[in-house]
Amino acid sequence: MECSVHGLKVLEDALAGDGNIVTEHLDFVFKWLSIRLCERESASALQRLLEFTENLLNHIVTNSRPLSELEAMTLVPYILDRSGQSKPRFRTSFR
């Protein structure tokens, strides 16, 4: 869990600074997010992952950057899978 918290902090800082650094490597970022979404972590870690994912997707939309099929297929299946979460706050966040 410590690895994901530290990694998430690095990604949050990069997105808050020059977000293009993150968007230039979306395939790797999405793969990392997919792995972290599959882990059984604490509720607070999952919440932070969701918030970062939402901020990243908002950044992508704001900058009119299209996702490649590979990028979308790297993350979308895991988001859909996790949208069936038993906790309502996470279920609605994923949707």
Side-chain angles (χ1 to χ4, degrees), residues 21-22 25 32 34 36 42 48 66-67 78 82 89 94:
I21 293 171
V22 177
H25 303 285
W32 185 84
S34 299
R36 296 301 172 213
S42 67
R48 282 189 63 194
L67 291 181
Y78 297 98
R82 297 294 284 199
R89 72 178 176 164
F94 277 109

Side-chain angles (χ1 to χ4, degrees), residues 4 8 29-43 45-54 57 74-83 85 90 93-94:
S4 66
L8 190 56
V29 173
F30 283 173
K31 286 176 186 176
W32 185 84
L33 284 170
S34 299
I35 291 167
R36 296 301 172 213
L37 286 171
C38 291
E39 292 179 343
R40 302 282 186 236
E41 293 198 35
S42 67
L46 182 58
Q47 185 66 39
R48 282 189 63 194
L49 277 172
L50 281 174
E51 290 169 0
F52 173 76
T53 304
E54 183 178 353
L57 293 174
T74 302
L75 185 62
V76 171
Y78 297 98
I79 295 289
L80 292 175
D81 180 55
R82 297 294 284 199
S83 67
Q85 270 283 335
F90 295 129
S93 293
F94 277 109

